[in-house]
Coordinates of all heavy atoms in Angstrom, one line a residue:
E45 N -1.1 -17.4 -3.2 CA 0.3 -16.8 -3.7 C 0.8 -15.8 -2.8 O 1.9 -15.7 -2.3 CB 0.0 -16.4 -5.1 CG 1.4 -16.0 -5.8 CD 1.3 -15.8 -7.3 OE1 0.2 -16.1 -7.9 OE2 2.2 -15.0 -7.8
I46 N -0.2 -14.9 -2.5 CA 0.2 -13.8 -1.6 C 0.5 -14.2 -0.2 O 1.6 -13.7 0.3 CB -1.0 -12.6 -1.6 CG1 -1.2 -12.0 -3.0 CG2 -0.7 -11.7 -0.3 CD1 -2.3 -11.2 -3.1
W47 N -0.2 -15.0 0.4 CA 0.0 -15.5 1.7 C 1.3 -16.2 1.9 O 2.1 -16.0 2.7 CB -1.2 -16.4 2.2 CG -2.4 -15.5 2.8 CD1 -3.0 -14.6 2.1 CD2 -2.8 -15.6 4.0 NE1 -4.1 -14.0 3.0 CE2 -3.9 -14.7 4.1 CE3 -2.5 -16.4 5.2 CZ2 -4.7 -14.6 5.3 CZ3 -3.3 -16.4 6.3 CH2 -4.4 -15.4 6.4
N48 N 1.6 -17.1 0.9 CA 2.9 -17.8 1.0 C 4.0 -16.9 0.8 O 5.1 -17.1 1.4 CB 2.9 -18.9 0.0 CG 2.1 -20.1 0.5 OD1 2.2 -20.6 1.7 ND2 1.2 -20.7 -0.3
A49 N 3.9 -15.9 0.0 CA 5.1 -14.9 -0.2 C 5.2 -14.1 0.9 O 6.3 -13.7 1.4 CB 4.7 -14.0 -1.5
H50 N 4.1 -13.7 1.5 CA 4.2 -12.6 2.7 C 4.2 -13.2 4.0 O 5.0 -12.8 4.8 CB 3.0 -11.8 2.6 CG 3.1 -10.6 3.5 ND1 3.8 -9.4 3.4 CD2 2.4 -10.5 4.7 CE1 3.7 -8.8 4.4 NE2 2.8 -9.3 5.2
Y51 N 3.5 -14.2 4.4 CA 3.4 -14.6 5.8 C 4.3 -15.7 6.3 O 4.4 -16.1 7.4 CB 1.9 -15.2 6.0 CG 1.0 -14.0 6.3 CD1 0.0 -13.9 5.2 CD2 1.0 -13.1 7.2 CE1 -1.0 -12.7 5.3 CE2 0.1 -12.1 7.4 CZ -0.9 -11.9 6.4 OH -1.8 -10.9 6.5
S52 N 5.0 -16.3 5.4 CA 6.0 -17.3 5.7 C 7.0 -16.9 6.8 O 7.5 -17.8 7.4 CB 6.7 -17.9 4.4 OG 7.4 -17.0 3.8
S53 N 7.4 -15.7 6.9 CA 8.4 -15.2 7.8 C 7.6 -14.7 9.1 O 8.2 -14.3 10.0 CB 9.1 -14.1 7.3 OG 8.3 -12.8 6.9
I54 N 6.2 -14.7 9.1 CA 5.4 -14.3 10.3 C 4.8 -15.3 11.0 O 4.7 -15.4 12.3 CB 4.5 -13.1 9.8 CG1 5.2 -12.0 9.1 CG2 3.5 -12.8 10.9 CD1 4.2 -10.9 8.4
I55 N 4.1 -16.3 10.2 CA 3.4 -17.5 10.9 C 4.0 -18.7 10.2 O 4.6 -18.6 9.0 CB 1.8 -17.2 10.8 CG1 1.4 -17.1 9.4 CG2 1.4 -16.1 11.6 CD1 -0.2 -17.0 9.1
S56 N 3.5 -19.8 10.7 CA 4.0 -21.1 10.2 C 3.3 -21.6 8.9 O 2.2 -21.0 8.7 CB 3.8 -22.3 11.3 OG 2.3 -22.5 11.4
A57 N 3.8 -22.3 8.1 CA 3.2 -22.9 6.9 C 2.0 -23.5 7.4 O 0.9 -23.5 6.6 CB 4.2 -23.9 6.2
A58 N 2.0 -24.3 8.4 CA 0.7 -25.1 8.8 C -0.5 -23.9 9.2 O -1.6 -24.2 8.8 CB 1.0 -25.9 10.0
Q59 N 0.0 -22.9 9.8 CA -1.0 -21.9 10.2 C -1.6 -21.1 8.9 O -2.8 -20.8 8.6 CB -0.5 -20.8 11.1 CG -1.6 -19.9 11.5 CD -1.3 -19.0 12.7 OE1 -0.4 -19.3 13.4 NE2 -2.1 -18.0 13.0
I60 N -0.6 -20.9 7.9 CA -1.1 -20.3 6.6 C -2.0 -21.2 5.8 O -3.1 -20.8 5.5 CB 0.2 -20.1 5.6 CG1 1.0 -19.0 6.3 CG2 -0.3 -19.8 4.2 CD1 2.5 -18.9 5.5
E61 N -1.7 -22.5 5.8 CA -2.7 -23.4 5.2 C -4.0 -23.5 5.9 O -5.1 -23.5 5.2 CB -2.1 -24.8 5.1 CG -1.1 -25.0 4.1 CD -1.6 -24.7 2.7 OE1 -2.7 -25.2 2.2 OE2 -0.9 -23.9 2.0
Y62 N -3.9 -23.6 7.2 CA -5.2 -23.5 8.0 C -6.1 -22.3 7.7 O -7.3 -22.3 7.6 CB -4.9 -23.6 9.5 CG -6.0 -23.7 10.4 CD1 -6.8 -24.9 10.6 CD2 -6.5 -22.5 11.1 CE1 -7.9 -24.9 11.4 CE2 -7.6 -22.5 12.0 CZ -8.4 -23.7 12.2 OH -9.4 -23.6 13.0
M63 N -5.3 -21.1 7.7 CA -6.1 -19.9 7.6 C -6.7 -19.7 6.1 O -7.8 -19.2 5.9 CB -5.4 -18.7 8.0 CG -5.1 -18.8 9.6 SD -4.1 -17.3 10.2 CE -5.2 -16.0 10.0
L64 N -5.9 -20.1 5.2 CA -6.4 -20.1 3.8 C -7.6 -20.9 3.6 O -8.7 -20.5 3.0 CB -5.3 -20.6 2.8 CG -4.1 -19.6 2.6 CD1 -3.1 -20.3 1.8 CD2 -4.6 -18.4 1.8
G65 N -7.6 -22.2 4.2 CA -8.9 -23.0 4.2 C -10.1 -22.3 4.9 O -11.2 -22.4 4.4
Q66 N -9.8 -21.7 6.1 CA -10.8 -21.0 6.9 C -11.5 -19.9 6.0 O -12.7 -19.5 6.1 CB -10.3 -20.4 8.0 CG -10.5 -21.2 9.3 CD -10.0 -20.4 10.5 OE1 -9.4 -19.4 10.5 NE2 -10.6 -20.8 11.7
R67 N -10.6 -19.2 5.4 CA -11.1 -17.8 4.8 C -11.4 -17.8 3.3 O -12.1 -16.9 2.8 CB -10.0 -16.7 5.1 CG -9.9 -16.5 6.5 CD -8.5 -15.9 6.9 NE -8.4 -16.0 8.3 CZ -8.7 -14.9 9.1 NH1 -9.0 -13.8 8.5 NH2 -8.6 -15.0 10.4
Y68 N -10.8 -18.6 2.5 CA -10.8 -18.6 1.0 C -11.3 -19.9 0.4 O -11.3 -19.9 -0.9 CB -9.4 -18.3 0.5 CG -9.0 -16.9 1.1 CD1 -7.9 -17.0 2.0 CD2 -9.4 -15.8 0.6 CE1 -7.6 -15.7 2.6 CE2 -9.0 -14.5 1.1 CZ -8.1 -14.5 2.1 OH -7.7 -13.2 2.6
S69 N -12.0 -20.7 1.1 CA -12.7 -21.8 0.4 C -14.0 -21.4 -0.4 O -14.5 -20.3 -0.1 CB -13.1 -23.0 1.4 OG -14.4 -22.5 2.1
S70 N -14.2 -21.9 -1.5 CA -15.2 -21.5 -2.3 C -16.6 -21.4 -1.6 O -17.3 -20.4 -1.8 CB -15.5 -22.5 -3.5 OG -14.4 -22.5 -4.3
D71 N -16.9 -22.3 -0.7 CA -18.0 -22.3 0.1 C -18.2 -21.0 1.0 O -19.2 -20.4 1.1 CB -18.3 -23.4 1.0 CG -18.6 -24.7 0.2 OD1 -18.9 -24.7 -1.0 OD2 -18.3 -25.8 0.7
V72 N -16.9 -20.7 1.7 CA -16.9 -19.5 2.5 C -17.2 -18.1 1.7 O -18.0 -17.4 2.1 CB -15.6 -19.5 3.3 CG1 -15.4 -18.3 4.0 CG2 -15.6 -20.6 4.3
V73 N -16.4 -18.0 0.7 CA -16.5 -16.8 -0.1 C -17.8 -16.6 -0.8 O -18.4 -15.7 -0.7 CB -15.3 -16.7 -1.1 CG1 -15.5 -15.5 -1.9 CG2 -14.0 -16.7 -0.4
L74 N -18.4 -17.7 -1.3 CA -19.7 -17.7 -2.0 C -20.7 -17.2 -1.0 O -21.7 -16.5 -1.3 CB -20.0 -18.8 -2.7 CG -19.1 -19.2 -4.0 CD1 -19.4 -20.7 -4.5 CD2 -19.5 -18.2 -5.0
A75 N -20.7 -18.0 0.2 CA -21.7 -17.6 1.1 C -21.5 -16.1 1.5 O -22.6 -15.3 1.7 CB -21.5 -18.5 2.5
E76 N -20.4 -15.5 1.7 CA -20.2 -14.1 2.0 C -20.7 -13.2 0.9 O -21.2 -12.1 1.1 CB -18.7 -13.7 2.4 CG -18.3 -14.4 3.7 CD -17.0 -13.9 4.0 OE1 -16.2 -13.2 3.3 OE2 -16.4 -14.5 5.1
L77 N -20.5 -13.6 -0.4 CA -21.0 -12.8 -1.5 C -22.5 -12.7 -1.5 O -23.0 -11.8 -2.0 CB -20.5 -13.5 -2.8 CG -19.1 -13.2 -3.2 CD1 -18.7 -14.0 -4.4 CD2 -18.6 -11.8 -3.3
R78 N -23.2 -13.8 -0.9 CA -24.6 -13.6 -0.9 C -25.2 -12.9 0.5 O -26.4 -12.6 0.4 CB -25.1 -15.0 -0.8 CG -25.0 -15.9 -2.1 CD -25.7 -17.2 -2.1 NE -25.2 -18.1 -1.1 CZ -24.2 -19.0 -1.4 NH1 -23.7 -19.2 -2.6 NH2 -23.8 -19.9 -0.5
R79 N -24.3 -12.6 1.4 CA -24.7 -11.9 2.5 C -24.9 -10.4 2.4 O -24.1 -9.8 1.7 CB -23.8 -12.2 3.8 CG -24.0 -13.5 4.5 CD -23.2 -13.7 5.7 NE -22.7 -12.4 6.4 CZ -21.4 -12.4 7.0 NH1 -20.8 -13.4 7.0 NH2 -21.1 -11.3 7.6
N80 N -25.9 -9.8 2.9 CA -26.1 -8.4 3.0 C -25.1 -7.8 4.0 O -24.7 -8.5 5.1 CB -27.5 -8.0 3.5 CG -28.5 -8.3 2.3 OD1 -28.2 -8.1 1.2 ND2 -29.7 -8.5 2.8
G81 N -24.5 -6.7 3.8 CA -23.6 -6.0 4.7 C -22.2 -6.5 4.5 O -21.4 -6.3 5.4
V82 N -22.0 -7.3 3.6 CA -20.6 -7.8 3.3 C -20.2 -7.5 1.8 O -20.9 -7.6 0.8 CB -20.4 -9.3 3.5 CG1 -19.1 -9.8 3.1 CG2 -20.8 -9.8 4.7
W83 N -18.9 -6.9 1.6 CA -18.5 -6.5 0.4 C -17.1 -7.1 0.1 O -16.4 -7.3 0.9 CB -18.3 -5.0 0.2 CG -19.5 -4.1 0.4 CD1 -20.1 -3.6 -0.7 CD2 -20.2 -3.7 1.5 NE1 -21.2 -2.9 -0.3 CE2 -21.3 -3.0 1.1 CE3 -20.1 -4.0 2.8 CZ2 -22.3 -2.4 2.0 CZ3 -21.0 -3.5 3.8 CH2 -22.1 -2.6 3.3

Side-chain angles (χ1 to χ4, degrees):
E45 190 174 340
I46 292 170
W47 275 59
N48 282 312
H50 183 76
Y51 284 110
S52 61
S53 64
I54 298 174
I55 59 177
S56 70
Q59 185 166 349
I60 290 170
E61 286 303 312
Y62 180 79
M63 293 179 74
L64 285 170
Q66 263 192 337
R67 295 156 188 262
Y68 299 102
S69 74
S70 293
D71 291 344
V72 168
V73 177
L74 289 170
E76 288 185 8
L77 287 174
R78 290 188 295 267
R79 273 186 27 214
N80 288 330
V82 178
W83 291 262

